[in-house]
Amino acid sequence: MKLPRSSGILLHPTSLPGKFGIGDLGPEAFRFADWLSDAGQTLWQMLPLGPTGYGDSPYQLFSAFAGNPMLISPEKLVDDGSLTPADLAHVPDFPQEHVDFGAVIEWKGKLLEKAYANFASGAAAVERDAFEEFLKREARWLEPFALFMARKEDAGDVQSWTDWRDDATAAQR
């Protein structure tokens, strides 16, 4: 089978413009996809989209399955009711010419924690059921990943995993 001739572009979503210090999969991503289509492009190649490690490189990921939470759109969280417009009223003055990953991760992490707390306390039964189904369906990779990330955070996010305490020492803490 011969594939039709096509063209496109390579661009990671974090390189898109955004109000929140980093490009994400929100309105700017949709606008970009529309622009590509209008320009006759048929492909949008992205670098890996997983949670990044040291240096925030999309090629140094903690999981081949998990998504990078920094790509979650705050605007989409407002649209789905997980956040309110007031939650986005006080965005830090992030640099426009580069991504300050440390500042973005700190601010957006708190925002995502708030969105989850709102979900946990007020999600409709159908949303809770879908979430529980996701947890069950993806348990094979999700549970070890969650444990790894929790242990990583417990170790201070700076140590190599080979230097972490064993489970017995961690349980005593």
Side-chain angles (χ1 to χ4, degrees):
M1 178 176 135
K2 186 174 180 181
L3 295 176
R5 188 175 188 147
S6 60
S7 64
I9 192 166
L10 167 66
L11 179 80
H12 198 268
T14 58
S15 296
L16 292 167
K19 303 175 192 175
F20 308 107
I22 194 168
D24 58 37
L25 296 174
E28 290 297 331
F30 285 85
R31 196 170 292 117
F32 182 67
D34 290 341
W35 177 83
L36 286 173
S37 177
D38 291 347
Q41 303 300 297
T42 55
L43 303 170
W44 178 4
Q45 182 178 352
M46 298 180 192
L47 302 173
L49 301 176
T52 57
Y54 179 76
D56 301 297
S57 167
Y59 294 113
Q60 188 171 1
L61 304 178
F62 290 118
S63 172
F65 302 104
N68 187 334
M70 294 303 107
L71 294 175
I72 297 172
S73 166
E75 293 152 315
K76 293 288 187 182
L77 292 174
V78 169
D79 291 347
D80 78 9
S82 297
L83 293 174
T84 67
D87 293 323
L88 306 185
H90 302 290
V91 178
D93 188 21
F94 292 115
Q96 295 298 309
E97 65 280 355
H98 69 277
V99 176
D100 181 347
F101 284 98
V104 168
I105 290 167
E106 181 179 344
W107 180 80
K108 210 166 190 184
K110 290 176 185 172
L111 195 68
L112 294 173
E113 287 175 11
K114 183 170 189 170
Y116 177 74
N118 291 340
F119 171 84
S121 67
V126 68
E127 292 170 326
R128 287 177 186 275
D129 290 346
F131 181 64
E132 290 299 322
E133 176 56 32
F134 170 80
L135 295 177
K136 288 178 191 171
R137 184 180 65 246
E138 304 300 329
R140 183 168 179 240
W141 69 266
L142 184 57
E143 290 177 8
F145 172 70
L147 176 61
F148 172 81
M149 294 304 288
R151 293 288 310 272
K152 179 181 172 313
E153 183 177 335
D154 183 58
D157 283 337
V158 294
Q159 289 181 326
S160 166
W161 69 268
T162 58
D163 295 329
W164 293 350
R165 298 181 315 269
D166 64 27
D167 286 332
T169 306
Q172 293 172 2
R173 188 170 183 199

